[in-house]
Amino acid sequence: IRMQLRFLDSIKSIVEKGSNERKRSFFKFILSVPFWVLVASLVIGTFSVVNIFSILGARKDKSMNEYWQQGTDVRYRHMAVYASGSRSFGLFSPLTYEEAGGSLCVSDITTIRTALQNVSDSSNTSGKGNGLKDGKPQGWEDCYSSILSANVIYSSDVNEDGIKTDLSSDTSVIAVSGNFRAFHPYEYLSGGFLPEDEVDKNQIVINDVLAWTLFKSYDIVGSRITIFNEEFVIVGVVSQSTGKIDELVGNEDPQVFMYFSKLIDVYAGGFFGTSEGMSSSDLAIGCYEAMLPEEVSGVANSDMIAAIPSYTVENNNMYVISCTGRYNLKNIWNQMIPFGAMEEKYANIDFPSWEKASQLTLQYLFYDCVAILMALVLMISAIVSIILRYHARKAIPALDTLVTEEIDESEENKKDF
């Protein structure tokens, strides 16, 4: 019996000793919490800052105004207008004009160009303002585009068995006009972009995804594919994807760039079930972009708004945005708060992939900024806690020492008992 009691006492002693060790470890952990909070805040903050630079580095289109400012004293602002329209049968039909102030058409572009050119000429101190030349801007650049989907077909050569195979792909078609490449710095894998001055309306540029899907090669300048029952010649292959955001918004999907004027011809020819002879004013323009000279900050934004026919700020079918400086902290906050308001307000607009990428970039930057703010709060709290603890050690015995003494005293009392 005595042996059993001694054995039980030994087990009890071991358990109590382990319990005391756990108490010491627990209190030491509590006392070290400010340090670990400080470490965690540094990790979160560092990761968010690195992520911000990574995201902005992938958005090459965010600073195209800086390209135009090189070697001159003129400042430029990149403005964009996104407008709505209607489609007869989904994305495989073109965007058509609805109403003034909500949609844009070719005649509206002429009106906008004239108004912006007048402003540019009036602010030109050299006195060289001569208005539009052949309908094109002088001293600044612009472009416009519209997007739809189409089935692209490539008829391969006859193989050794005498069989000719047709390869096809549902593709996003971006119909462009003006100096489109001035606003979208793509990487060219072969050839170049569509010349601003149209030489052949049946010239097209395709992206690397479509090139590999149809040809398993990027060196395909001069090859031909069929769109809208017409044959087009490829003059360039571009790569658009620069990161995860581009993948999410569809820039890694097959894409074709063609002239807007050719889309007008196809539309007027009745391909989409329309009556022959339909005018260019029946087609809507989804995006208009301008690189405007700006002597006073913010003036270009006001000039653009004033130039748009029948535009009102309350109109949810048209969205005007300054792409220059879009990703600074103030603009990120204004565009994201209240959260989800912009998506709800402009739900009627079919934004192109580059605008979707910009909006998704804003969301990611907003989340990173919130993470950095939280990290700063945690960091300050941890530093204050560490400082207070340091000063408290000088005034009173350290908390961990008091806890240790209390535990040791409790053990001695048990032994005496």
Side-chain angles (χ1 to χ4, degrees), residues 20-127:
N20 292 332
E21 289 296 331
R22 286 194 295 272
K23 288 180 181 179
R24 287 192 182 94
S25 299
F26 175 74
F27 282 112
K28 286 181 180 179
F29 172 75
I30 293 297
L31 294 171
S32 66
V33 164
F35 169 76
W36 292 112
V37 170
L38 180 61
V39 172
S41 64
L42 288 172
V43 171
I44 294 172
T46 301
F47 175 81
S48 298
V49 169
V50 171
N51 198 43
I52 285 176
F53 280 100
S54 176
I55 291 173
L56 292 179
R59 297 257 57 83
K60 297 178 181 179
D61 55 346
K62 70 179 177 64
S63 55
M64 289 305 293
N65 65 306
E66 297 176 4
Y67 171 81
W68 290 97
Q69 291 168 186
Q70 292 178 3
T72 70
D73 296 329
V74 181
R75 292 189 305 173
Y76 285 87
R77 181 171 292 273
H78 179 183
M79 296 297 303
V81 182
Y82 299 98
S84 67
S86 61
R87 298 184 189 273
S88 300
F89 42 91
L91 288 174
F92 282 85
S93 57
L95 197 67
T96 54
Y97 187 81
E98 285 188 315
E99 59 181 357
S103 293
L104 292 175
C105 62
V106 173
S107 60
D108 291 329
I109 299 303
T110 301
T111 302
I112 294 173
R113 281 176 170 172
T114 301
L116 293 177
Q117 187 67 54
N118 290 337
V119 172
S120 178
D121 292 345
S122 64
S123 61
N124 192 338
T125 56
S126 64

